[in-house]
Amino acid sequence: MATIKDIARQAGAGVSTVSRVVNNSGYVAEATRERIEKAISELGYRPNAGARMMRSGRSNLIGILVPSIKVDFFARLAHRLEQALFAQGYQSMICSTAEDPLHEAKYVDMLLAQQVDGVLIASVDGEGEVFAKLQDAGIPILALDRQLDKIGAKSVRADHYLGGLIASQHLITLGHELISVVGAPKQSEPVILRAAGAAAACKAAGLPAPRTVLGTEHSVQGCAALGHEVLSCTPRATAIVATSDVAAIGILHAARVLGIEIPRDLSLTGFDDTPMASYVFPSLTTVAQPIDQIANEAITGLLRMIRAPEKGKTAEDVVLPVTLNVRQSTARVPK
């Protein structure tokens, strides 16, 4: 195997200069860096991760735990986090916990064994006690999309309550008085907050509390079944606040099966503003989460904890505003 000395000889550079390039630390002139990177490629050099960790005390590995990469929002968030961390010299271990606390606990043990430098966590249930193992090992953690109050972790999240509030307010301004809230998973903190925001808007307007139906399976199929249940009730709601775009698309399907036309017979809002929200028919009025800002704030916060632990201790929770993108799935209440 090629060594740093071999790289230095071929690139015509000093060993310390090659080391700075390999470890992405310190200044190296651009022309020199290009020669060294070319030599690394030609000689097939691979750094010894174990030796590097012994020298620096760091693995340059970051764990990313999300409930499911089948859910478009979390897939996009994980991708943005991985790309941004890579640009900072870190590699990511993306763990999809399948909405299962047991999977989550096993991934925590794996991340401990891998001696990761830090972990970004969108927990399944928000309890967070399993992550105390990471804290006990001195590994910085930051909560994504929801809080981990029981272990005092800092968090970066969108304002889910505000999202439910503005979605319901939009429907109320269109004259809707019978509103339902439908979605999954029912144990998710963001889902609970979105439903609470929708209920608060109805209460403030003097309207009946929305009929709220939350399930356990966060999928188009699962939410279609919930939508069918709600749309079969009498009196039927004239508008539905779905707790995600996935849920909204399931409800779109249920409405079509029942012969209910959107938005003529039923107005519908989603949450997340995933790419598919613009391409379903009718296009979906939905609450947009600032996914790029969430990723940037999360990485900034976690790297501060890793590189400057004392400053990391004084970090504050970050709650980012959301916006409503109005499209074709909402209209004035039918007469």
Side-chain angles (χ1 to χ4, degrees):
M1 291 179 62
T3 66
I4 282 184
K5 289 182 178 179
D6 297 327
I7 303 299
R9 190 179 305 113
Q10 180 152 327
V15 170
S16 60
T17 305
V18 174
S19 180
R20 288 199 297 273
V21 172
V22 169
N23 294 300
N24 195 27
S25 63
Y27 171 78
V28 177
E30 189 60 31
T32 304
R33 180 180 293 275
E34 288 177 0
R35 291 201 313 273
I36 292 171
E37 289 176 346
K38 181 181 179 183
I40 288 172
S41 177
E42 290 175 348
L43 295 177
Y45 173 74
R46 296 289 182 272
N48 185 313
R52 183 172 60 189
M53 184 175 174
M54 288 180 66
R55 289 194 302 270
S56 66
R58 292 183 180 174
S59 64
N60 281 9
L61 286 174
I62 301 293
I64 301 172
L65 270 73
V66 295
S68 174
I69 55 173
K70 291 199 303 183
V71 176
D72 187 80
F73 170 77
F74 287 115
R76 291 190 298 137
L77 179 60
H79 173 73
R80 281 166 169 73
L81 290 168
E82 186 276 330
Q83 291 290 297
L85 285 166
F86 189 82
Q88 292 276 354
Y90 291 87
Q91 293 176 302
S92 302
M93 302 184 73
I94 298 174
C95 309
S96 179
T97 60
E99 303 280 0
D100 186 336
L102 293 178
H103 283 204
E104 199 168 66
K106 288 181 179 179
Y107 274 128
V108 167
D109 289 338
M110 182 200 74
L111 294 172
L112 282 166
Q114 294 294 325
Q115 297 180 283
V116 294
D117 291 340
V119 186
L120 295 164
I121 301 166
S123 179
V124 171
D125 58 16
E127 289 296 313
E129 293 179 1
V130 67
F131 304 116
K133 289 182 179 181
L134 297 168
Q135 286 185 324
D136 292 344
I139 297 173
I141 63 176
L142 187 142
L144 288 169
D145 192 54
R146 55 206 70 183
Q147 295 173 282
L148 293 172
D149 286 339
K150 287 193 175 181
I151 58 171
K154 303 302 180 183
S155 67
V156 174
R157 62 194 189 277
D159 194 334
H160 301 291
Y161 181 89
L162 174 64
L165 185 78
I166 62 177
S168 195
Q169 285 174 337
H170 169 67
L171 296 170
I172 291 168
T173 62
L174 293 173
H176 294 277
E177 297 182 354
L178 288 176
I179 298 172
S180 288
V181 177
V182 180
K186 62 183 179 182
Q187 76 274 14
S188 165
E189 177 190 312
V191 168
I192 294 168
L193 288 172
R194 293 167 193 178
C202 290
K203 183 177 180 180
L207 299 178
R211 175 181 171 83
T212 301
V213 178
L214 303 178
T216 57
E217 182 187 346
H218 189 207
S219 67
V220 171
Q221 296 88 342
C223 292
L226 298 177
H228 194 283
E229 175 188 337
V230 170
L231 294 174
S232 299
C233 291
T234 303
R236 193 183 74 212
T238 63
I240 292 179
V241 174
T243 60
S244 69
D245 290 349
V246 169
I249 290 169
I251 295 163
L252 277 172
H253 178 77
R256 180 174 289 273
V257 169
L258 292 170
I260 298 169
E261 187 174 330
I262 296 175
R264 187 193 67 186
D265 305 320
L266 175 75
S267 284
L268 175 66
T269 67
F271 205 110
D272 291 332
D273 197 22
T274 55
M276 59 186 170
S278 299
Y279 290 97
V280 294
F281 184 80
S283 58
L284 194 60
T285 294
T286 185
V287 176
Q289 294 203 62
I291 192 166
D292 289 330
Q293 197 174 356
I294 291 171
N296 292 339
E297 291 282 356
I299 289 170
T300 298
L302 185 66
L303 294 187
R304 185 186 297 120
M305 294 178 195
I306 293 170
R307 296 169 177 172
E310 291 306 313
K311 290 184 179 179
K313 289 179 182 178
T314 62
E316 299 292 332
D317 285 348
V318 178
V319 182
L320 300 170
V322 294
T323 55
L324 183 70
N325 289 340
V326 178
R327 299 193 179 98
Q328 298 171 343
S329 66
T330 52
R332 295 202 64 80
V333 66
K335 295 181 181 178

